[in-house]
Amino acid sequence: EVRWSEAIRQLSRADAVFLGETHLDRLTHEAELAFLQDLSAARGGRVALALEMFERDVQPILDQYLSGNCTEAEFLAQARPWPNYRTDYRPMVEFAKAHGIPVIASNLPADLRRTLARGGASALAALEPAQRALVPERLIENPPEYWQRVEQATLGHGALGMGGATESRLFDGQNLWDNTMSDSVARALIAQPDRLVVHVN
């Protein structure tokens, strides 16, 4: 156990903070908002919020909404928000909007994930430039120990398209998610190295 104030003190010195969640737990979402608010205060507003819940191709409409150049209805109509967006993620986005905090749509679009998971390297090579820009420049394969932890953590979570323990999982859906979200955080840190990136996943 660690006191909240001590957690904020330590985490405010990090480059990135990952907040893992169960997607339908309301108390977790309230804690995430409080973390974002307190880390923002500790860093003088120099934070960025990255969300698994938005895919990279909706970044333009997300940016328009944050800058006040479209309505919330227009934003939601184009951004494919998760069903629980209004109750669970909207408070974080609205806090970010009110305080000029960038919000990063960090996930790989589902259609690209399916295409790459089915077609692998040949599908990657065949992507149009606009699609290729949404995929990390380099994909890194996770080690076998990682997959053992994933499988333990996701029992009952549904099929993730995972192959056998000895075959390559470079284009596995989970690996594509991991690579894209970590790439999104890395890009944010390169673009604004003075900001702490708070990633919700």
Side-chain angles (χ1 to χ4, degrees):
E1 292 183 4
V2 60
R3 297 181 69 85
W4 183 276
S5 58
E6 179 61 15
I8 296 298
R9 188 185 71 79
Q10 290 188 40
L11 293 172
S12 68
R13 300 197 301 252
D15 294 320
V17 172
F18 294 84
L19 300 178
E21 65 166 42
T22 53
H23 300 317
L24 300 177
D25 180 57
R26 188 66 178 273
L27 289 177
T28 299
H29 297 126
E30 291 176 4
E32 288 164 352
L33 175 61
F35 260 110
L36 177 63
Q37 292 169 331
D38 288 358
L39 287 170
S40 178
R43 289 289 291 256
R46 301 303 296 169
V47 297
L49 172 64
L51 295 170
E52 172 191 2
M53 298 76 202
F54 288 110
E55 296 170 351
R56 279 179 155 181
D57 61 320
V58 306
Q59 189 69 58
I61 191 65
L62 177 56
D63 290 342
Q64 287 181 44
Y65 177 63
L66 294 171
S67 63
N69 290 321
C70 73
T71 67
E72 185 177 26
E74 291 169 328
F75 159 58
L76 294 176
Q78 298 179 52
R80 302 186 304 276
W82 283 16
N84 58 330
Y85 172 77
R86 288 192 183 277
T87 55
D88 297 331
Y89 305 111
R90 183 180 186 273
M92 285 185 283
V93 171
E94 292 302 311
F95 175 81
K97 185 175 189 280
H99 293 84
I101 294 170
V103 180
I104 300 144
S106 70
N107 212 340
L108 186 66
D111 59 341
L112 278 179
R113 179 180 53 80
R114 288 189 294 269
T115 296
L116 296 174
R118 284 194 302 261
S122 59
L124 180 63
L127 293 179
E128 297 293 329
Q131 295 174 306
R132 186 63 183 88
L134 299 172
V135 181
E137 185 175 329
R138 175 176 172 229
L139 296 175
I140 300 169
E141 190 159 8
N142 284 309
E145 299 81 14
Y146 168 84
W147 292 111
Q148 292 170 5
R149 294 195 306 272
V150 167
E151 287 167 355
Q152 290 172 355
T154 58
L155 288 174
H157 195 275
L160 291 173
M162 295 180 182
T166 59
E167 64 186 69
S168 171
R169 295 186 176 183
L170 184 63
F171 291 96
D172 183 283
Q174 182 68 44
N175 202 57
L176 293 168
W177 281 324
D178 292 347
N179 273 264
T180 307
M181 288 188 275
S182 60
D183 184 69
S184 296
V185 172
R187 288 185 188 187
L189 290 170
I190 291 167
Q192 298 188 61
D194 61 329
R195 288 188 184 271
L196 183 160
V197 179
V198 179
H199 190 281
V200 177
N201 59 286

